[in-house]
């Protein structure tokens, strides 16, 4: 037999490469390289304290979890960590089921004899043994919360040397209390909860599984997964029944008669057709508050976006927890915890509960109310219940659509058929695709909804379904894509991207006229053209690439309406071309994506939207008045352009003394007459006075006339013509006269015309003559007259 002293000393040195540290006096030791589970509590340091009464090896700073031995004569000790299994623990403690990982070794000296304490790390288990050469009994008390729970005792006599003392310090801790291995910690049959401390000192919490519910008496029953799907115009409720929403109104999706303050409401809107509606948004109601959730995935209170934390504060008792993508959230309502998924096109509500008769109401629940009774009129748009009947779409083939939808019966999905019935999804798919074209990713929405319902049961078909359905995975998500009320978010022209497209009711007025926006607005000195952003989006036109003839003149987008406006004025004409066509002045421009409007070829889709304003020559009008009635004003109104012509008479060449009712005009007195056209572009348009003549009666075509100006030039020696055809204003002067044999009013008539080039008149001298039965009417001219009392 090997002497115990020699045997244990050899064990202590098995570490070989272990570094031995020597400490003098009380010290704190770092044992994080070999932490010890002392009765279920893991510790990473030891506090070794020498006193006049004992030596204490403590695990916590409060000195409650300690191994306490007798006073030692020397306050010096060695410390090292050993990683070798020496077999001593398992030989003496067969209940240690785990493998030794390492040991913490403390070697003290008392009266020249060794006293060694070794702590063994067995993972969740732990043990300690004491070896000493001292004669007599050496006792180390094992303490928990200042209470002695065990002891290490080595007794050596000359006749007998005890080998060593070993103690198992394995246990579990629960709510601060210590429980031995293989014991029951807590048992509650009402909650089906059974907490035990295993043989390896592991705390085991046994309760109903994640898909089970405790029915009491420690009985767990398997839960039923209830799922309600809203996709396209259809609702598949918790019991697999299919409802079809035909209008564009708001409906109660979830409610409970026991708690009427809380509701979840879904709104439906049309997309490309007026006669097919789609899921569009949600409204979550709590006491006195309404929260909106639109396709962009943002919760809003009114127009203000809010976080899930703010939402939980606004609706007490409802806790929302959004995932990092914003698609998935969980919330508690009506004593259920719902999982809610909404990707902007398809939504699912699901929860687990024992099979039972649900008390939930609404489109998803067991509501006995009809569809019209579930409609929420005060949250619906006016006229939402009106049904339309659009023209037949030749791209819709119901036979092909049916075959496509029935792919859900193929083997790819068979593993899920016993968990989720595919027939409601097939029915919803057929009903929709037989009425609506397979665009915007609509066909994929039904397959995506079924696949996700399967995933709730742990059935994964996501790797195969996309190829069977010819769909991309994952489907487009509209988070962050905020569309206007006249638009909807859907898969764009490029796969995987989303865009805002026009709703059918809004776009119908443009599609009927095959236009992309409103008519051109022509003002006195400005013109503008507004295009509808979602109409451009549908045709794949990038508004930022569009411009007028001048490429620097680009459209301005309205962030609220997404409309794009192009404009020019008399200061910045943006390359506008001005031409004359008979009685019309034409301002021509265009919205285009061509770098040069004169190019004859292009290698990209051409955009050329005519942007034209037409200014008509003034209509033939004669306005007569006596000189006492002040100036003559003629308002000329065409279909598009409005402007004003005036004729004023003055007694001075600077045109500062306007004739008034008290002015006396004498024979042979010089009068200055000014013709002015307001609200015309002086840079482009000129006013030409072609002829002026006098008559003794209001008609400009009477038997007796006297020519003052003919063909833009003086026809009377007293006449002076100034700035004719040089701007939008010209004038002439003449000396007052009267008709022989006539008394009363004398009328002055002028015929004017607009001109855009070569407008100035070159006159050589003047001659006077009387004219009888002379016609001064031009085909595209306008007349303005004034009168005075003779």
């Amino acid at each position: 037999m090997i002497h115990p002293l020699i045997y244990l000393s050899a064990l202590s040195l098995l570490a070989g490469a272990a570094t031995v540290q020597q400490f003098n006096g009380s010290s704190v030791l770092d044992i994080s390289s070999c932490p010890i589970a002392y009765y279920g509590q893991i510790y990473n340091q030891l506090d070794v304290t020498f006193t006049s009464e004992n030596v204490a090896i403590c695990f916590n700073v409060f000195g409650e979890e300690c191994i306490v031995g007798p006073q030692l004569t020397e306050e010096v000790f060695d410390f090292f960590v050993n990683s070798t299994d020496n077999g001593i623990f398992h030989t003496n403690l067969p209940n240690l089921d785990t493998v030794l990982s390492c040991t913490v070794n403390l070697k003290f000296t008392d009266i020249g004899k060794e006293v060694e304490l070794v702590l063994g790390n067995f993972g969740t288990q732990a043990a300690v043994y004491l070896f000493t050469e001292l004669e007599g009994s050496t006792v180390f008390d094992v303490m928990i919360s200042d209470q002695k729970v065990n002891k290490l005792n080595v007794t050596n006599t000359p006749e007998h040397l005890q080998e060593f003392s070993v103690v198992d310090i394995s246990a579990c801790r629960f709510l601060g209390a210590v429980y031995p291995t293989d014991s029951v910690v807590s048992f509650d049959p009402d909650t089906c909860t059974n907490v035990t401390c295993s043989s390896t000192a592991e705390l085991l919490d046994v309760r109903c599984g994640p898909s089970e519910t405790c029915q009491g008496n420690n009985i767990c029953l398997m839960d039923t997964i209830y799922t309600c799907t809203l996709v396209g115009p259809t609702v598949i409720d918790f019991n697999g029944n299919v409802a079809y929403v035909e209008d564009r109104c708001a409906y109660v999706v979830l409610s409970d008669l026991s708690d009427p303050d809380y509701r979840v409401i879904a709104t439906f809107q049309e997309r490309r057709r007026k006669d097919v509606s789609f899921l569009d948004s949600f409204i979550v109601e709590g006491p006195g508050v309404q929260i909106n959730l639109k396709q962009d995935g943002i919760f809003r209170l009114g127009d203000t976006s809010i976080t899930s934390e703010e939402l939980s504060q606004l609706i007490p008792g409802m806790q929302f927890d959004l995932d990092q993508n914003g698609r998935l959230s969980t919330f508690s309502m009506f004593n259920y915890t719902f999982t809610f998924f909404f990707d902007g096109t398809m939504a699912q509500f699901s929860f687990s509960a024992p099979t039972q008769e649900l008390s939930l109401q609404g489109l998803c629940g067991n509501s006995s109310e009809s569809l019209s009774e579930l409609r929420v009129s005060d949250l619906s748009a006016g006229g939402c219940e009106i049904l339309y009947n659009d023209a037949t779409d030749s791209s819709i083939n119901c036979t092909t659509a049916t075959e496509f939808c029935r792919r859900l019966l193929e083997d790819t999905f068979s593993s899920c058929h016993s968990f989720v019935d595919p027939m409601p999804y097939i029915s919803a798919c057929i009903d929709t695709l037989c009425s609506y074209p397979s665009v915007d990713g609509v066909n994929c929405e039904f397959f995506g909804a079924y696949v996700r319902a399967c995933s709730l049961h742990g059935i994964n078909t996501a790797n195969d379904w996309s190829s069977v359905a010819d769909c991309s995975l994952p489907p487009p998500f509209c988070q962050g894509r905020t569309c206007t009320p006249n638009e909807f978010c859907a898969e764009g022209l490029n796969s995987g991207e989303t865009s805002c497209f026009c709703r059918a009711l809004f776009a119908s007025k443009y599609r009927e006229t095959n236009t992309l926006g409103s008519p051109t607005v022509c003002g006195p000195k400005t013109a503008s053209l507004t295009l509808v952003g979602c109409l451009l989006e549908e045709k794949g036109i990038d508004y930022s690439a569009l411009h007028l003839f001048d490429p620097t003149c680009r459209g301005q987008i309205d962030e609220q309406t997404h409309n794009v406006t192009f404009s020019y004025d008399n200061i910045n004409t943006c390359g506008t071309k001005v031409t004359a066509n008979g009685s019309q002045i034409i301002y021509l421009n265009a919205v285009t994506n061509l770098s040069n409007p004169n190019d004859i070829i292009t290698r990209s889709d051409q955009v050329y939207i005519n942007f034209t304003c037409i200014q008509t020559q003034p209509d033939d009008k004669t306005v007569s008045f006596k000189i006492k009635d002040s100036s003559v004003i003629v308002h000329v109104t065409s279909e598009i352009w409005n402007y004003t012509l005036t004729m004023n008479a003055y007694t001075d060449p600077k045109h500062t003394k306007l004739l008034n009712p008290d002015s006396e005009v004498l024979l042979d007195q010089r009068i200055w007459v000014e013709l002015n056209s307001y609200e015309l572009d002086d840079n482009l348009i000129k006013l030409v006075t072609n002829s002026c003549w006098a008559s003794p009666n209001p008609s400009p075509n009477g038997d007796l006339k006297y020519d003052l100006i003919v063909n833009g030039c003086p026809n009377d020696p007293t006449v002076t013509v100034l700035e004719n055809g040089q701007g939008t204003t010209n004038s002439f002067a003449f000396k007052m006269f009267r008709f022989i044999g006539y008394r009363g009013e004398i009328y002055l008539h002028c015929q004017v015309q607009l001109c855009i080039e070569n407008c100035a008149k070159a006159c050589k001298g003047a001659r006077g003559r009387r004219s009888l039965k002379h016609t001064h009417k031009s085909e595209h001219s306008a007349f303005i007259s004034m009168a005075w009392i003779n």
Side-chain angles (χ1 to χ4, degrees), residues 117 168 191 224 290 330 332 355 377 480 516 546 625 674 726:
L117 202 67
D168 186 354
T191 61
T224 298
Q290 290 180 344
T330 58
S332 299
T355 302
S377 299
L516 293 176
L546 302 178
F625 73 102
E674 181 182 71
Q726 298 180 29

Side-chain angles (χ1 to χ4, degrees), residues 284 289 291-293 297-301 303-315 318-323 326 329-330 479:
V284 181
V289 65
I291 305 299
N292 295 298
L293 177 61
I298 300 174
F299 286 106
R300 290 181 176 87
L301 177 62
D303 294 330
T304 304
S305 61
I306 58 175
T307 64
S308 57
E309 292 77 11
E310 291 171 329
L311 176 59
S312 300
Q313 295 173 2
L314 289 169
I315 307 182
M318 182 180 293
Q319 300 295 320
F320 276 81
D321 179 23
L322 272 66
D323 74 353
S329 61
T330 58
Q479 184 181 25

Side-chain angles (χ1 to χ4, degrees), residues 427-621:
S427 175
C429 178
I430 293 174
D431 284 346
T432 303
L433 296 186
C434 282
S435 305
Y436 194 86
S438 181
V439 294
D440 305 329
V442 169
N443 54 328
C444 297
E445 294 176 14
F446 298 92
F447 280 77
Y450 184 76
V451 168
R452 191 175 187 286
C454 293
S455 69
L456 297 173
H457 293 267
I459 309 299
N460 183 17
T461 60
N463 295 329
D464 303 317
W465 81 274
S466 58
S467 59
V468 173
D470 298 325
C471 295
S472 60
L473 182 68
F477 180 41
C478 293
Q479 184 181 25
R481 170 69 75 166
T482 301
C483 301
T484 72
N486 295 322
E487 301 170 336
F488 67 93
C489 176
E491 183 177 2
L493 298 176
N494 298 319
S495 178
E497 297 182 359
T498 55
S499 299
C500 293
F501 298 102
C502 293
R503 297 193 188 278
L505 286 173
F506 167 73
S508 59
K509 60 182 178 182
Y510 301 104
R511 290 172 179 155
E512 289 170 359
T513 57
N514 195 28
T515 58
L516 293 176
S518 303
T520 301
V521 177
C522 299
K525 296 183 180 181
T526 63
S528 63
L529 175 66
T530 299
L531 303 179
V532 178
C534 56
L535 292 174
L536 296 175
E537 191 84 32
E538 286 180 3
K539 294 186 176 294
I541 299 174
D542 180 4
Y543 83 90
S544 64
L546 302 178
H547 53 79
L548 298 182
F549 283 165
D550 182 345
T552 64
C553 294
R554 298 186 177 271
Q556 300 298 315
I557 189 167
D558 186 324
E559 296 297 340
Q560 299 299 317
T561 64
H562 293 173
N563 290 341
V564 183
T565 300
F566 299 82
S567 62
Y568 64 83
D569 55 32
N570 63 323
I571 304 299
N572 185 7
T573 61
C574 293
T576 301
K577 299 178 181 179
V578 183
T579 60
N581 180 16
S583 63
Q584 296 179 327
I585 302 296
I586 301 172
Y587 294 74
L588 176 63
N589 212 315
V591 176
T592 181
N593 61 353
L594 298 178
S595 57
N596 186 343
N598 296 319
D599 288 347
I600 60 174
I601 68 167
T602 180
R603 288 185 171 87
S604 62
D605 291 338
Q606 180 181 352
V607 178
Y608 193 92
I609 303 170
N610 203 9
F611 183 4
T612 299
C613 286
I614 299 175
Q615 175 184 316
T616 61
Q617 298 282 10
D619 297 333
D620 291 352
K621 292 186 179 180

Side-chain angles (χ1 to χ4, degrees), residues 675 689-694 706-709 732 748-751:
L675 295 164
T689 301
N690 281 339
S691 57
C692 290
W693 66 99
Y706 181 80
D707 289 309
L708 295 175
I709 300 174
F732 66 95
L748 178 64
H749 310 279
C750 287
Q751 177 258 325

